[in-house]
Amino acid sequence: GASWLGENPYKPDYFRPHFELPALGSAAYIFYSQGQRIALGSGGTELGHREDPYFNRDIFTFCSHQHTPTSGSIAGPGMTENKNGIYLAWNVFEDYATKG
């Protein structure tokens, strides 16, 4: 359900699901692992989208937090589903292992 376009130049970036998470509400969730730019593939359904931050945080572009806030702009699919399964545009298990 997804076609790979390349690595996302923004890190970290955000995922906004298109489904309700009752305990958490409607929000964008940060992923610290390397995100991927993907397009909706054959027979795919988009379950959520990516949102890039305003900028990558570095020595010359700084925000007072650990990461730059989401720009709120849709930056392509972040989770897709087709008959073969679900694809996420991040290394979710790496994120869980390193950031818990």
Side-chain angles (χ1 to χ4, degrees):
S3 298
W4 188 74
L5 301 175
E7 286 189 347
N8 187 12
Y10 293 99
K11 183 178 176 186
D13 61 344
Y14 296 83
F15 171 66
R16 187 175 296 269
H18 294 176
F19 49 88
E20 183 71 26
L21 295 169
L24 300 174
S26 177
Y29 301 94
I30 192 160
F31 278 100
Y32 292 95
S33 65
Q34 180 63 57
Q36 307 298 316
R37 291 191 180 263
I38 60 172
L40 200 56
S42 176
T45 301
E46 186 174 331
L47 300 178
H49 64 264
R50 287 184 321 91
E51 294 179 359
D52 291 330
Y54 286 105
F55 52 83
N56 279 327
R57 183 177 184 235
D58 62 25
I59 194 166
F60 300 109
T61 51
F62 181 77
C63 182
S64 65
H65 302 285
Q66 289 182 1
H67 47 268
T68 307
T70 177
S71 65
S73 299
I74 295 174
M79 179 188 284
T80 64
E81 178 182 27
N82 74 359
K83 63 181 177 146
N84 297 317
I86 293 175
Y87 183 83
L88 289 162
W90 297 271
N91 299 323
V92 177
F93 298 110
E94 175 188 340
D95 247 5
Y96 183 75
T98 58
K99 300 292 184 184

